[in-house]
Amino acid sequence: MQCRRQIKLPELFFWQGPGQLAPYMVALPLLCLPSGEGITSIQFRLLLGIGAFPAGVVLLRSWQEEESDPRPGARENLERREELHNVRHWWTLIGTAGSWFFFDVAFYGTVIFSPTILLKVFGEMESLSMLAVQAAAMIMVTIIGNTGSLAVVPHVGAKALNTTGLTLCCLAFAAFASVYQYWHDRHALQFGLLCTVNLALALPNIATFMLPVLLFPRSVRSTFHGISAAAAKIGALVGTILFPALEGYGIPTIMFTQAVLCGLGAACS
């Protein structure tokens, strides 16, 4: 049962990668539309409108879902209270919530600002179409990494995958920062390291989601998974704020900061 759950969970989370890729694949044909007055506004509105469609489908399907679990009885409530007072679970929470928080700071601070990072690498003269292709290529690498994680996690376990992945992220961010700092004209090398960063990010991307489900007993699983997920969302918010705040200090400063955060996440894991 444990092994089956361990396999099914990352399969669900895997689809985050194709979801990230879809906007760039939709944007590429839109960027091929004939230029003219107001074309940028039309492209943006079309992309935004198409993006609303899958969100609407998910919302509709959520309304149609039925609750499958019955209300807990007195025995289940007593068990839940006992588990909530178990100090060991709260120590475990530091690992699940902490590693997920630090990972999401690095993940969203990199993924959301990928076009900005690519502009810094290739220069301001790079076309939107090329930026979209390069960003799509980076996400394709992430999808490959997610696929590899699916194959590896049943054999090594989510905790080992999480710790190893965050450690590799730390090294990849530090390598990119160093190359950008000292070999700024090596654009292909920098792009290759950016793809390496995305590949490394794919490992803890799945593992951080799995750990709270696997480590906590069923009676308190939703509570501790919810707290861990909330910490991750705070991390995502911090990541979107941190990048613009540090951009004035240069890309190497941002990337070295990401490396430190991933190292802290590995320590928590």
Side-chain angles (χ1 to χ4, degrees), residues 45-60:
R45 292 173 189 275
L46 284 172
L47 187 61
L48 187 64
I50 294 170
F53 175 73
V57 172
V58 171
L59 180 60
L60 179 62

Side-chain angles (χ1 to χ4, degrees), residues 117 120-121 172-187 189-191 193-194 246-257:
I117 298 171
K120 298 290 186 182
V121 170
F173 275 119
F176 175 80
S178 299
V179 169
Y180 187 95
Q181 178 75 34
Y182 298 108
W183 294 284
H184 188 52
D185 57 337
R186 304 286 182 88
H187 304 308
L189 178 58
Q190 291 171 46
F191 181 69
L193 286 172
L194 275 179
L246 294 178
E247 190 174 3
Y249 296 97
I251 292 295
T253 299
I254 296 173
M255 293 304 181
F256 275 125
T257 302

Side-chain angles (χ1 to χ4, degrees), residues 3-4 48 52 62 69 93 126 141 162 164 190 247 251 255:
C3 181
R4 187 183 306 166
L48 187 64
S62 298
D69 293 329
L93 181 66
E126 194 77 349
V141 171
N162 196 45
T164 303
Q190 291 171 46
E247 190 174 3
I251 292 295
M255 293 304 181

Side-chain angles (χ1 to χ4, degrees), residues 79 83 89 212-222 224:
E79 180 184 353
E83 294 290 358
H89 295 329
V213 180
L214 298 175
L215 295 180
F216 296 109
R218 182 174 182 177
S219 58
V220 292
R221 185 177 299 150
S222 60
F224 286 109

Side-chain angles (χ1 to χ4, degrees), residues 114-151:
S114 288
T116 304
I117 298 171
L118 288 169
L119 274 177
K120 298 290 186 182
V121 170
F122 291 102
E124 297 292 336
M125 298 304 294
E126 194 77 349
S127 68
L128 283 176
S129 296
M130 281 306 301
L131 285 175
V133 169
Q134 292 154 358
M138 289 169 58
I139 297 172
M140 283 297 298
V141 171
T142 300
I143 294 173
I144 293 171
N146 287 339
T147 305
S149 297
L150 284 172

Side-chain angles (χ1 to χ4, degrees), residues 48-174:
L48 187 64
I50 294 170
F53 175 73
V57 172
V58 171
L59 180 60
L60 179 62
R61 293 296 297 166
S62 298
W63 278 338
Q64 295 173 346
E65 285 287 332
E66 295 182 2
E67 292 288 342
S68 57
D69 293 329
R71 291 182 179 273
R75 181 178 178 181
E76 287 79 6
N77 283 328
L78 178 61
E79 180 184 353
R80 183 173 183 276
R81 283 195 295 269
E82 290 175 351
E83 294 290 358
L84 285 174
H85 286 88
N86 189 332
V87 177
R88 184 170 57 88
H89 295 329
W90 292 96
W91 278 109
T92 302
L93 181 66
I94 295 175
T96 59
S99 62
W100 206 349
F101 168 83
F102 287 118
F103 168 74
D104 268 20
V105 175
F107 181 82
Y108 286 97
T110 302
V111 171
I112 292 178
F113 296 100
S114 288
T116 304
I117 298 171
L118 288 169
L119 274 177
K120 298 290 186 182
V121 170
F122 291 102
E124 297 292 336
M125 298 304 294
E126 194 77 349
S127 68
L128 283 176
S129 296
M130 281 306 301
L131 285 175
V133 169
Q134 292 154 358
M138 289 169 58
I139 297 172
M140 283 297 298
V141 171
T142 300
I143 294 173
I144 293 171
N146 287 339
T147 305
S149 297
L150 284 172
V152 168
V153 71
H155 304 287
V156 303
K159 182 178 179 180
L161 183 65
N162 196 45
T163 306
T164 303
L166 285 165
T167 302
L168 291 175
C169 288
C170 175
L171 296 175
F173 275 119

Side-chain angles (χ1 to χ4, degrees), residues 15-32:
W15 293 101
Q16 184 185 42
Q20 292 169 347
L21 179 63
Y24 294 102
M25 301 307 294
V26 174
L28 282 171
L30 291 177
L31 289 170
C32 295

